[in-house]
Amino acid sequence: MNKLLTLTIASEIFLLLPFSIIFFTNKKTKKNILLLLFLIIGGGPLLYLAIDDLNNHYIDANIGLGLAFMFTWVYALIALIIAIILVVRKKRKNNSSKE
């Protein structure tokens, strides 16, 4: 398998992980629609540029593809931090309501 394809799939899974955590901890449907929009914003540029790079074999370095990877990784990291904060808040709220 192509190294670019493997790295793209791994990056998209890394992006999907925090959004799935937020999706399963949140029960409001309006927020889930907004969450889907944020997921598309985070993964769209990488998918577009990876498909473009696979179809057109560029001779020079594709700086846009590197920036798309960096954007996706930073976006996924920020989403993961938000997901962890939401899970911790929900746990604390459930523990305080039991007491």
Side-chain angles (χ1 to χ4, degrees):
M1 189 182 297
N2 191 355
K3 187 176 181 180
L4 173 64
L5 185 62
T6 306
L7 192 57
T8 302
I9 292 171
S11 296
E12 292 294 332
I13 290 172
F14 179 62
L15 178 65
L16 189 61
L17 177 72
F19 280 99
S20 62
I21 292 171
I22 295 171
F23 178 77
F24 289 121
T25 59
N26 189 12
K27 295 182 180 179
K28 298 179 181 172
T29 57
K30 289 184 179 180
K31 286 188 179 180
N32 288 339
I33 294 170
L34 187 63
L35 190 67
L36 181 65
L37 178 68
F38 283 141
L39 180 64
I40 292 171
I41 290 171
L46 177 62
L47 285 177
Y48 173 76
L49 287 171
I51 291 170
D52 181 52
D53 193 63
L54 288 173
N55 288 337
N56 303 320
H57 301 286
Y58 296 111
I59 296 172
D60 59 342
N62 193 347
I63 302 299
L65 183 62
L67 289 174
F69 272 109
M70 290 300 292
F71 171 74
T72 303
W73 294 336
V74 170
Y75 197 83
L77 184 65
I78 291 170
L80 185 63
I81 291 169
I82 291 171
I84 291 170
I85 290 171
L86 290 175
V87 168
V88 168
R89 277 189 186 172
K90 189 170 185 178
K91 262 189 181 178
R92 284 186 182 175
K93 187 177 180 182
N94 288 341
N95 286 341
S96 66
S97 66
K98 288 180 182 178
E99 292 177 359

